[in-house]
Amino acid sequence: MVSNWMWQQWLENKLSRNIAYDEIVYGFICATSLEGRTREEYLAEASQIRHQTAGRFNYDDDEIYAKRKTNELYWSNVERRNPDTLILQTANSFLGLRLECAQCHNHPFDRWTQKDFNQFKSFFMMVQFSDPKTGKEYNPSGFKGYGDESVEPGVHWRFKATVLKTPPKLLGGREVPFVEGGPDVRVALWEWMRDAKNPFFAPSFVNRLWAHYLGRGIVNPPDDFNQGNPASNPQLLNWLAQEFIGKKFDIKHVHRLILNSRTYQLSWRPNDSNRLDNKNYSHAKLRRMPAEVLIDSIAQVTGVEYRFGRLPKGRPQRAVGQAMPTVRYSLSRSGYPMKIFGRPDREKTCDCERSNEPSVAQALYLINDQEVLAKLDDTKGRLSQLLRTIKDDRELITELYLTALSRFPEDQELELQLKHVAAADSRDLGMKDVMWSLLNVREFLFIH
Amino acid sequence: MMPKYCDGVSRRDAIKAGVAGAFGLNLASMFQLEAAEAAAASGKNAIFIFLTGGQSHIDTWDMKPDAGEMKGEFESIATNLPELRVCELMPYLAKQADKYAIVRNVSHTQGAHSPGQRYLQTGNQKIPSLEYPDYGAVISKEHQSPRGVPQYVLLPGGGSNSAIYSSGYLGVAHGPFSALGDPNAKGYSVRALATPEGLSKKQIEARQSLLQSVDTKFRNAGLADQELDGMDKSYQKAFDILQSEKVRKAFDIESESANVRDLYGRHTFGQSCLLARRLIEAGTRCVSIYNGGWDTHENNFRELKNTLIPPWDQGLAGLLADLHDRGLLENTIVWCTGEFGRTPKINDKGAGRDHWARAMSMLYAGAGVKGGQIIGETDKTAAEPVGKIYSPDDAAASFFNAIGIDHLKEYHTPDGRPIMITGKGSPIPELFA
């Protein structure tokens, strides 16, 4: 049950140290349990991890798994053991390709044939579980992760000793001969991915970041690079990709490039000539905050946090960065807003799974849900505190605007709110309405 | 290009028309357009009852008295349909057999819960690259409700109930109005509508008007912005629901007479069925009731007898009788199924039955379904259909057919992929003979 946290922390560890993107990808693609160490060393590590994860979520932020160079969970998690799932996930995550069509037949509007798919798939069939003590091969379904004490903890990867009928072949590239006892073919796969000439690896990453900040990919959907779906601005995409490659896959460099650009900093206000444009970045696109951001924003404005159950030591109760395992099934507690505001299952890689679409359930939640209303009522919350400390109505309303919208109220707004407070049954109730209104205005809900 | 609607009115015109009283961007005209479309849609409604875990068919609808050790512990009883005998634990349903059809020859190969459930909830086999929408999401897209009434409502039907619903590629906008809480509990109220701790109607009105007056940003931005439009519409609908006496009354289950409440049975499932009827009366188009716990790998007979069958029998029978008496059954389909049947063989683990997708039974009633019939048959141990076989795709197509939705209708997923509602099925002809 804690593998989701091991995964999360492994990745956080790499991102926070700004490890080069190609190296992070190496950690997924070329993962081994042993990482070149002896079986004894590996077993010692595995036993330590198992010991620490024995209690549910009794798991520190500063953990052994996070420090590993590679992430074998990429290969071993339940849904990923099937080579078909692995190839789709890898192509989708790191190359921005949707190969689903080619799984069963030639891709109808792209160059990939079913043969390409099957040859590429061979890269993902070259690994095998085995017992590190005896070297005996496992059926993958026998491995249930570190939390399961019924199996040997130290399962590791090694090459299948069978020469596959279909030798691995890079997508649109060369065959990679598989030699028994020879080098890891996955390294050849990785070398091909990170090659400066690879048309997908760097472009798909910069495009994803662009889409994250601008609300729409240069190729859109951002994970659907195909010949029938060209980039809206190929020069821009190419320039970003070259910058990324030139700076040795420095992720923060791309963040800075985008955030410092004039394009990113444009206002949402359209003019007469661009008001119908939604793909050339002529003005900022208004977007509802994603589920986690919205939930954290509500918590921050009201000063009352959401509870996400027991978390690893030192983790704040915060929606962003949560490795929640079962959001989709949870109708209670904080799973409810996560679900209705469209957070996808964590297993899904497809960008289409995150929904920012508005729904009636969302509006009902913000207008009338007990969870939200309780945050306004909370005696330890921000509103209760401000009601006690700020006696002047104008000043209090101004403070609430600053808190929720990071700006001063306009004169007209101030007058309307003052009028409302004056007409309310009490100052407390009136101010509660003011704060409620600020959680429901579009200016709060939308990124602008 | 300006977006145009069916009557040639553009949204810009709609805004200029400026009917008073709507929230934020004035969308009243758009609602009128929607209402006109709704009038053209079918007047049929649906109640989908999902027995998650997989109901044992051989212990309920498809008893095999001559199956030897596979027969199980229960005897069969007569019903008001001479050719149908059902489990002795189903006395209520036995009296309503003239109203429903039992389909005994549905068969598939998805013997695990998640793929089986997605299959039976959508009429499509699960695939990794696309999530299909539940029936209710499709109905919510196709059938409109009166103003203030949610089209698709999800009710907790009791049992260990994992509400595994999804509106899939249709998006969260078509997700259900999810009524949490136990309608059998004293003082039942719905989370989203709750008033005791929530807002009074007067407060809601005051807040709505405050919000309307201060929510002035982005008024010029919306022309190319669907999200903003969608949020406006959602808020309008949400306020409508909150202000709707109809919805509030429908959920006020305690206003129902004791006789009627007793007819459905005083348990979560029975009262969920009663709520379903009340919601359909109020104008909801699809109610899904999730009744879980049927995964009887152990103590199959004890579980069925003590926990599972009696409330289900009473609630479902009460629903059919009540819908019939009120004339609602003509326009309302009731479909009750699990994700698969269970093994005829009783396992050694402890008198349990395991997953079995090759044979299962379903109940259909209402909305043009010919009641009082058994469709299909299985072999002597209820292991496989004999003769004609129907798939869950066919079962779903039948359901859509009954409520006037073309199951072959094509939608486009958010990234433009054309997908039929349930492309591989066709309606089971005997149901509508």
Side-chain angles (χ1 to χ4, degrees), chain A residues 98 100 275 286-288 328-329 339 348 357-358 364 368-371 410 417 433 436 440 442-443, chain B residues 129 131 163-165 171-172 177 191-192 194 207 210 215 217 224-225 227 230-232 234-235 415:
Chain A
R98 295 184 184 177
E100 282 83 352
R275 70 171 60 243
L286 292 168
R287 286 170 293 150
R288 200 204 72 219
R328 183 176 155 198
Y329 302 108
K339 182 184 172 74
K348 293 272 159 77
E357 276 181 76
L364 281 169
N368 190 45
D369 196 85
Q370 292 152 35
E371 195 171 34
E410 289 161 10
Q417 299 281 19
D433 290 348
W436 172 91
N440 280 278
R442 285 168 293 179
E443 190 180 353
Chain B
S129 53
E131 180 109 349
I164 23 75
Y165 64 89
V172 290
F177 178 92
R191 174 165 174 166
R207 284 190 171 180
L210 172 68
D215 191 18
K217 295 287 180 243
D225 200 317
E227 270 182 43
M231 198 48 122
D232 283 342
S234 299
Y235 262 83
D415 32 318

Side-chain angles (χ1 to χ4, degrees), chain B residues 218-247:
Chain B
F218 311 149
R219 283 224 167 125
N220 306 318
L223 290 177
D225 200 317
Q226 291 175 348
E227 270 182 43
L228 207 61
D229 276 0
M231 198 48 122
D232 283 342
K233 285 172 84 170
S234 299
Y235 262 83
Q236 181 63 60
K237 281 190 177 173
F239 277 117
D240 285 348
I241 289 172
L242 286 170
Q243 305 284 11
S244 164
E245 280 306 313
K246 269 189 180 163
V247 177

